Amino acid sequence: MSYQYRHTNQVLLIYTGGTIGMGANSLTGALEPLDFREFLREMPEFAAIPTKVDVYQFSPPVDSSDMNPSLWATLAKVVVENYDSYDGFVVLHGTDTMAFTASALSFMLRNLSKPVILTGSQLPVGQLRTDGKENLITSIELAADHYPDGRAKVPEVCIYFSGKLLRGNRSTKINADGFNAFDSFNYPHLADVGVSIRYHDHHILTPDYASPLRFCPQMDANVVVFTLFPGIQEGLVRHIFEAKELRGIILRTYGSGNAPQQPWLIRLLEKAGQNGLVVVNISQCAAGTVEMARYGCGTQLESAGVISGYDGTVESAVAKLMHLQALYSDPSRIRELMRQSLCGEVTIDY
Ligand code: ASP
């Protein structure tokens, strides 16, 4: 089907908070949020951007450490309510939990046909050596970029940072200081930005242009991320697994999805499954995939009902589980959908 789209040459910039829009408090020196609209008025580079940029500002701005599912839904709703008026969206966001927000948005905004680019910076945009200006200006260009027939070049939720355009639900913050703060170890970059923008088209999602955007803002946050370590104690694990509100566990295992061969752990996992908990195996390694059949200490997890999180990130597994728990009460349906790629968040080799 041919795709009809009227270009507005307009991008909506949504400022949620984060270092990019902060300035130093004159008394304490600590970074605090500023009025971003005021700031943009004084940024000469901003006036030179050929795309019209409107600004929507969260009030008050949020340090991304304070992000939560309800703020994710607010953010997604801003995109939905303005969807027809803009070519794309740039979300300015703190780096600390940006990968969680990007993952959550990818599940909340299904069949997206316009770019939603999250970015931020390590140094505030008002500081001389800031990385914020390049991140901001390139993100606006990426959000506005389209093919001659009107299709957006990147119809996905992405993170743009320091020359790399990444799939949002594949991204992780990898550096607390360096400008090169994000990467997606298990998925190729969607674009690399230097003197020009090199898109890697075959890695970019293709939406179903015949169907509309589906907005799914609900999240059920009754999940826990649980990291295995040598010496882990049965009593403490039991407390967590028996919490009555708990519906889903992200189990951070060793290597290719392995766990200590302790009978008590396997018993607790089996019981969790029988009680309707969904247990998802995500490796503690930043790269590679879960393959429980590779070692005996992984096979035992599979037999206990633990499901593979494949090569997904913790951030996207958390968001996906919250999303599915909000949509379905039946744990077997949640397990079934956890085993599928809903919007490019995992690689499944059948
Ligand atoms: N604490 C800040 C935040 O995540 C850090 C940053 O923006 O990079 O909001």
Side-chain angles (χ1 to χ4, degrees):
M1 141 166 192
S2 73
Y3 180 62
Q4 300 292 317
Y5 178 63
R6 186 181 59 84
H7 258 278
T8 61
N9 197 33
Q10 295 193 79
V11 163
L12 183 62
L13 179 66
I14 307 170
Y15 171 60
T16 68
T19 299
I20 192 162
M22 289 183 178
N25 179 300
S26 51
L27 294 175
T28 62
L31 290 175
E32 289 175 352
L34 301 172
D35 182 331
F36 203 74
R37 267 201 203 96
E38 278 299 310
F39 188 81
L40 287 177
R41 269 195 272 277
E42 287 162 26
M43 186 175 148
E45 299 89 338
F46 197 71
I49 296 173
T51 306
K52 181 171 183 296
V53 181
D54 290 333
V55 180
Y56 180 101
Q57 188 161 304
F58 269 40
S59 180
V62 185
D63 187 292
S64 80
S65 309
D66 289 321
M67 270 286 162
N68 57 49
S70 141
L71 288 168
W72 293 338
T74 304
L75 178 53
K77 194 157 168 256
V78 174
V79 172
V80 171
E81 284 174 349
N82 291 282
Y83 198 63
D84 293 333
S85 311
Y86 293 93
D87 294 340
F89 301 84
V90 172
V91 178
L92 297 181
H93 194 288
T95 57
D96 291 347
T97 66
M98 191 186 289
F100 283 96
T101 300
S103 298
L105 290 181
S106 74
F107 297 112
M108 288 180 165
L109 301 168
R110 301 287 288 283
N111 199 41
L112 194 62
S113 59
K114 297 188 179 188
V116 175
I117 317 281
L118 284 87
T119 194
S121 67
Q122 295 284 52
L123 281 177
V125 83
Q127 288 192 10
L128 216 47
R129 286 196 308 107
T130 187
D131 52 331
K133 283 187 187 172
E134 195 277 321
N135 286 347
L136 169 61
I137 290 165
T138 304
S139 294
I140 292 170
E141 189 169 340
L142 291 163
D145 213 356
H146 57 277
Y147 291 105
D149 67 354
R151 283 176 304 119
K153 290 244 171 125
V154 198
E156 292 200 28
V157 178
C158 309
I159 288 182
Y160 175 73
F161 222 92
S162 190
K164 291 184 276 194
L165 183 69
L166 311 171
R167 177 165 296 161
N169 58 31
R170 292 292 197 143
S171 308
T172 301
K173 183 172 179 182
I174 55 161
N175 198 320
D177 304 315
F179 289 158
N180 182 19
F182 286 87
D183 216 332
S184 58
F185 293 109
N186 283 331
Y187 198 78
H189 303 169
L190 303 184
D192 287 295
V193 179
V195 171
S196 56
I197 300 177
R198 275 177 295 119
Y199 290 98
H200 307 302
D201 292 335
H202 49 296
H203 297 309
I204 297 174
L205 289 175
T206 307
D208 172 5
Y209 289 107
S211 304
L213 173 76
R214 273 181 294 127
F215 180 37
C216 318
Q218 305 83 357
M219 288 268 163
D220 173 351
N222 287 304
V223 304
V224 74
V225 179
F226 177 71
T227 303
L228 293 175
F229 56 90
I232 194 161
Q233 293 296 303
E234 177 178 1
L236 299 175
V237 179
R238 184 186 299 281
H239 273 297
I240 297 171
F241 281 25
E242 289 181 354
K244 92 175 163 341
E245 308 79 3
L246 190 61
R247 294 186 63 199
I249 300 171
I250 311 291
L251 186 67
R252 301 211 64 196
T253 55
Y254 306 130
S256 57
N258 304 315
Q261 302 186 67
Q262 299 279 350
W264 63 261
L265 180 61
I266 301 307
R267 270 200 308 276
L268 283 180
L269 287 167
E270 276 165 358
K271 192 157 163 242
Q274 285 153 12
N275 291 341
L277 281 152
V278 175
V279 187
V280 185
N281 189 338
I282 297 278
S283 174
Q284 293 176 29
C285 297
T289 191
V290 164
E291 203 189 324
M292 287 185 275
R294 204 186 293 174
Y295 297 98
C297 48
T299 318
Q300 49 161 9
L301 294 181
E302 205 164 28
S303 319
V306 174
I307 59 169
S308 177
Y310 306 98
D311 60 349
T313 61
V314 178
E315 293 91 331
S316 100
V318 166
K320 186 174 179 181
L321 206 44
M322 287 185 183
H323 165 72
L324 293 176
Q325 286 182 177
L327 293 181
Y328 305 100
S329 52
D330 178 3
S332 54
R333 179 74 178 135
I334 297 173
R335 287 191 195 105
E336 185 187 328
L337 290 167
M338 283 304 293
R339 290 193 182 99
Q340 296 174 23
S341 172
L342 304 183
C343 41
E345 73 280 6
V346 286
T347 314
I348 301 173
D349 296 319
Y350 292 103

Coordinates of all heavy atoms in Angstrom, one line a residue, residues 18-24 31 34 36 39-40 42-43 45 121-133 136:
G18 N 16.7 16.2 33.5 CA 18.0 15.7 33.3 C 19.1 16.7 33.1 O 18.8 17.9 33.0
T19 N 20.3 16.3 33.1 CA 21.5 17.1 33.1 C 21.4 18.1 32.0 O 21.9 19.3 32.2 CB 22.7 16.3 33.0 OG1 22.8 15.4 34.1 CG2 24.0 17.1 33.0
I20 N 21.0 17.7 30.8 CA 21.0 18.6 29.6 C 20.4 20.0 29.9 O 20.9 21.0 29.5 CB 20.4 17.9 28.4 CG1 20.7 18.7 27.1 CG2 18.9 17.7 28.6 CD1 20.5 17.9 25.9
G21 N 19.4 20.0 30.7 CA 18.7 21.3 31.0 C 19.0 21.9 32.4 O 18.2 22.6 32.9
M22 N 20.1 21.4 33.0 CA 20.4 21.9 34.3 C 21.4 23.0 34.4 O 22.2 23.2 33.4 CB 20.9 20.7 35.2 CG 19.8 19.7 35.5 SD 20.4 18.4 36.6 CE 18.9 17.4 36.8
G23 N 21.5 23.7 35.5 CA 22.5 24.7 35.7 C 23.0 24.6 37.2 O 22.2 24.0 38.0
A24 N 24.2 25.1 37.5 CA 24.7 25.0 38.8 C 24.0 26.0 39.8 O 23.9 27.1 39.5 CB 26.2 25.2 38.8
L31 N 23.8 20.6 40.6 CA 23.1 20.8 39.4 C 21.6 20.8 39.7 O 21.1 19.9 40.4 CB 23.4 19.8 38.3 CG 24.8 19.9 37.7 CD1 25.1 18.8 36.7 CD2 25.0 21.2 37.0
L34 N 16.7 23.9 35.0 CA 16.4 25.3 34.6 C 15.1 25.3 33.7 O 14.7 24.3 33.3 CB 17.5 25.9 33.7 CG 18.9 25.9 34.3 CD1 19.9 26.3 33.3 CD2 18.9 26.9 35.5
F36 N 13.8 25.3 30.4 CA 14.5 24.9 29.1 C 14.1 25.9 28.0 O 14.9 26.2 27.1 CB 14.2 23.5 28.8 CG 15.3 22.9 27.9 CD1 16.5 22.6 28.3 CD2 15.0 22.7 26.5 CE1 17.5 22.1 27.5 CE2 16.0 22.2 25.7 CZ 17.3 21.9 26.2
F39 N 16.2 28.9 28.1 CA 17.5 28.6 27.7 C 17.6 28.5 26.2 O 18.6 29.0 25.6 CB 17.9 27.2 28.3 CG 19.3 27.0 28.1 CD1 20.3 27.5 28.9 CD2 19.7 26.2 27.0 CE1 21.6 27.4 28.6 CE2 21.0 26.1 26.7 CZ 22.0 26.7 27.5
L40 N 16.6 27.9 25.5 CA 16.7 27.7 24.0 C 16.7 29.1 23.3 O 17.3 29.3 22.3 CB 15.5 26.9 23.6 CG 15.6 25.4 23.9 CD1 14.4 24.6 23.4 CD2 16.9 24.8 23.2
E42 N 18.1 31.6 24.2 CA 19.5 32.2 24.1 C 20.5 31.3 23.4 O 21.7 31.6 23.5 CB 19.9 32.4 25.6 CG 19.2 33.6 26.2 CD 19.3 33.6 27.7 OE1 20.2 33.0 28.3 OE2 18.3 34.1 28.4
M43 N 20.0 30.3 22.8 CA 21.0 29.4 22.1 C 21.0 29.7 20.6 O 20.0 29.3 19.9 CB 20.6 27.9 22.4 CG 21.5 26.9 21.9 SD 20.9 25.3 22.5 CE 21.5 24.3 21.1
E45 N 22.5 28.5 18.0 CA 22.4 27.4 17.1 C 21.0 26.9 16.9 O 20.6 26.4 15.8 CB 23.2 26.2 17.6 CG 24.7 26.4 17.9 CD 25.0 26.9 19.3 OE1 24.1 27.5 19.9 OE2 26.1 26.8 19.7
S121 N 22.4 14.6 28.0 CA 23.8 14.9 27.9 C 24.5 14.6 29.2 O 23.8 14.4 30.3 CB 24.0 16.3 27.5 OG 23.6 17.2 28.5
Q122 N 25.8 14.5 29.2 CA 26.6 14.3 30.4 C 26.9 15.6 31.1 O 27.1 15.7 32.3 CB 27.9 13.5 30.1 CG 27.6 12.1 29.6 CD 27.2 11.1 30.7 OE1 26.3 11.4 31.5 NE2 27.9 10.0 30.8
L123 N 27.0 16.7 30.2 CA 27.3 18.0 30.7 C 26.1 18.9 30.3 O 25.7 18.8 29.2 CB 28.6 18.6 30.1 CG 29.9 18.1 30.7 CD1 31.1 18.8 29.9 CD2 30.0 18.5 32.2
P124 N 25.7 19.8 31.2 CA 24.5 20.7 30.9 C 24.8 21.5 29.6 O 26.0 21.8 29.3 CB 24.4 21.6 32.1 CG 25.1 20.9 33.2 CD 26.1 20.0 32.6
V125 N 23.8 21.8 28.9 CA 23.9 22.4 27.5 C 24.5 23.8 27.7 O 25.1 24.4 26.7 CB 22.6 22.3 26.8 CG1 21.6 23.4 27.2 CG2 22.7 22.3 25.3
G126 N 24.4 24.4 28.9 CA 25.0 25.7 29.1 C 26.5 25.7 29.4 O 27.1 26.8 29.4
Q127 N 27.1 24.6 29.5 CA 28.5 24.5 29.8 C 29.4 24.5 28.5 O 28.9 23.9 27.6 CB 28.9 23.3 30.7 CG 28.4 23.6 32.1 CD 28.9 22.5 33.1 OE1 29.8 21.8 32.8 NE2 28.4 22.5 34.3
L128 N 30.5 25.1 28.6 CA 31.3 25.2 27.4 C 31.6 23.9 26.7 O 31.5 23.8 25.5 CB 32.7 25.9 27.8 CG 33.3 26.9 26.9 CD1 32.2 27.9 26.3 CD2 34.4 27.6 27.6
R129 N 32.0 22.9 27.4 CA 32.4 21.6 26.8 C 31.2 20.7 26.6 O 31.3 19.5 26.5 CB 33.5 20.9 27.6 CG 34.8 21.6 27.4 CD 36.0 20.7 27.9 NE 35.7 20.2 29.2 CZ 35.4 18.9 29.5 NH1 35.2 18.0 28.6 NH2 35.2 18.5 30.7
T130 N 30.0 21.2 26.6 CA 28.8 20.3 26.7 C 28.7 19.4 25.5 O 29.1 19.7 24.3 CB 27.5 21.2 26.7 OG1 26.4 20.3 26.9 CG2 27.3 22.0 25.4
D131 N 28.2 18.2 25.7 CA 27.9 17.2 24.6 C 26.4 17.4 24.3 O 25.9 16.8 23.3 CB 28.2 15.8 25.1 CG 27.5 15.5 26.4 OD1 27.3 16.4 27.3 OD2 27.2 14.3 26.6
G132 N 25.7 18.3 25.0 CA 24.3 18.4 24.8 C 23.8 19.0 23.5 O 22.8 18.6 22.9
K133 N 24.6 20.0 23.0 CA 24.2 20.7 21.8 C 24.2 19.7 20.6 O 23.2 19.7 19.8 CB 25.1 21.8 21.5 CG 24.8 23.0 22.3 CD 25.6 24.2 22.0 CE 25.4 25.3 23.0 NZ 26.3 26.5 22.8
L136 N 21.3 17.2 21.0 CA 20.0 17.8 20.7 C 19.8 18.1 19.3 O 18.8 17.7 18.7 CB 20.0 19.1 21.6 CG 18.8 20.0 21.3 CD1 17.5 19.3 21.6 CD2 18.9 21.3 22.2

